[in-house]
Amino acid sequence: NFISAVVPSDEIGVKFDDIGALEDVKKALNELVILPMRRPELFSRGNLLRPCKGILLFGPPGTGKTLLAKALATEAGANFISITGSTLTSKWFGDAEKLTKALFSFASKLAPVIIFVDEVDSLLGARGGSFEHEATRRMRNEFMAAWDGLRSKENQRILILGATNRPFDLDDAVIRRLPRRIYIDLPDAENRMKILRIVLAQENLVPDFEYDKLAKLTEGYSGSDLKNLCIAAAYRPVQELIEEEEKGGNNGISSVLRALNVDDFVESKAKVGPSVAYDA
Ligand code: ATP
């Protein structure tokens, strides 16, 4: 679990078009990452344009930070290494230096590469005072040192992309190394509609499915919450069919699933609510 360079199969090759909303974020990442990775020669002269080596994505959970990181790698034609802060610090006490060195040497062989550090606050959060485990402190120092080594090599196309729901837990040394910070907000109604259109693209929906109505009814839902709501809704026709079969209807032979309507989603809201406390 230390490094998962392998992306889950349903998300291999995920592209920006597979992500609903976040248009401004995609545009910023295009300038900051995609162009410099694809056309490094345009960024190698003078002092003004320098490829960015560290970006922080921050904002509420489930808003698509991980998905965005994977899609960014696809769009930039870069390899993708993903590590999770809490896994690193909990499982690898003792081997911090060795593992960090291995990670960075692996990364430089894979360049152009994006190193995605999810829960970057767990790995590189504010110094934990006397309660902090010695191994965590060593891991952080080693990581910072390797990172600085990498920043000094101008031509290496390696980007550290950190993500966190708790930006205030990051210490100044980390913030400085992540000079570009991008806020990923909860989607508004229009953006929820865009996300729903993507999540439901392959589903069997009634004709004239009212996306706008559903978008309005899901205030406070993150992209991840919307996906979970859609899964719950999609289950309803399946459950009905099973119940029908159990009652002996259809002569026990399964028939075709009915199309989903907005009520399926409204009924499922009781099971899948917004996961972030939200004041409208
Ligand atoms: P966390 O902070 O909890 O790690 P996150 O911000 O990294 O969350 P993701 O893990 O990327 O969020 O999102 C979870 C899932 O929700 C994604 O795999 C995707 O299926 C869905 N999702 C989230 N946002 C979007 C979006 N804008 N468009 C399409 N799907 C989305």
Side-chain angles (χ1 to χ4, degrees):
N1 267 4
F2 169 61
I3 300 173
S4 67
V6 185
V7 176
S9 58
D10 62 333
E11 283 175 351
I12 285 178
V14 62
K15 296 204 180 73
F16 272 179
D17 282 347
D18 302 317
I19 303 176
L22 303 176
E23 308 303 338
D24 292 348
V25 176
K26 293 181 202 167
K27 197 163 159 242
L29 290 174
N30 189 40
E31 280 173 24
L32 285 170
V33 183
I34 299 172
L35 207 51
M37 284 218 175
R38 290 210 175 263
R39 303 286 307 276
E41 76 281 4
L42 302 178
F43 293 78
S44 60
R45 296 198 55 185
N47 274 324
L48 294 175
L49 298 181
R50 284 270 170 251
C52 178
K53 303 254 171 185
I55 298 179
L56 179 68
L57 303 178
F58 67 106
T63 43
K65 295 183 282 299
T66 306
L67 194 63
L68 199 60
K70 288 173 185 165
L72 181 63
T74 312
E75 300 284 347
N79 284 308
F80 184 73
I81 297 177
S82 167
I83 59 177
T84 302
S86 57
T87 319
L88 274 183
T89 48
S90 65
K91 287 204 177 156
W92 299 91
F93 281 158
D95 271 332
E97 286 95 338
K98 256 193 245 160
L99 281 158
T100 310
K101 281 200 182 97
L103 168 68
F104 280 87
S105 96
F106 181 48
S108 50
K109 293 194 176 81
L110 285 182
V113 62
I114 291 174
I115 305 178
F116 179 62
V117 188
D118 203 2
E119 302 174 18
V120 63
D121 50 283
S122 316
L123 175 62
L124 305 172
R127 283 153 224 280
S130 52
F131 294 113
E132 188 176 55
H133 200 289
E134 166 66 14
T136 309
R137 196 184 54 73
R138 283 213 315 271
M139 172 80 89
R140 177 177 43 229
N141 291 344
E142 189 62 38
F143 197 97
M144 298 281 207
W147 194 351
D148 289 341
L150 186 136
R151 289 197 305 165
S152 63
K153 291 183 199 149
E154 279 301 336
N155 295 325
Q156 259 197 344
R157 288 180 291 162
I158 301 182
L159 169 79
I160 306 255
L161 186 60
T164 183
N165 309 323
R166 302 151 56 110
F168 300 112
D169 288 356
L170 289 172
D171 90 20
D172 290 346
V174 178
I175 299 276
R176 256 184 283 120
R177 287 170 173 86
L178 296 167
R180 308 305 291 247
R181 289 146 226 152
I182 301 178
Y183 182 57
I184 315 283
D185 203 357
L186 285 173
D188 60 12
E190 199 185 320
N191 285 321
R192 288 195 297 276
M193 186 149 89
K194 290 182 185 163
I195 295 172
L196 286 165
R197 281 189 189 279
I198 286 178
V199 174
L200 293 171
Q202 309 294 327
E203 304 309 310
N204 179 19
L205 306 175
V206 293
D208 305 321
F209 182 84
E210 298 151 294
Y211 278 104
D212 51 340
K213 183 172 167 193
L214 181 54
K216 284 195 191 107
L217 287 168
T218 44
E219 183 99 57
Y221 280 67
S222 67
S224 175
D225 297 333
L226 289 174
K227 180 155 182 193
N228 289 332
L229 181 70
C230 292
I231 293 171
Y235 195 72
R236 285 169 53 84
V238 175
Q239 193 171 10
E240 280 170 26
L241 191 122
I242 300 285
E243 282 168 10
E244 182 74 7
E245 282 179 6
E246 279 170 1
K247 273 193 257 155
N250 298 333
N251 299 322
I253 301 163
S254 60
S255 56
V256 183
L257 293 172
R258 67 165 174 79
L260 294 170
N261 56 52
V262 171
D263 282 345
D264 289 313
F265 295 78
V266 174
E267 293 296 322
S268 302
K269 280 178 68 181
K271 282 193 204 144
V272 185
S275 51
V276 182
Y278 184 80
D279 295 316

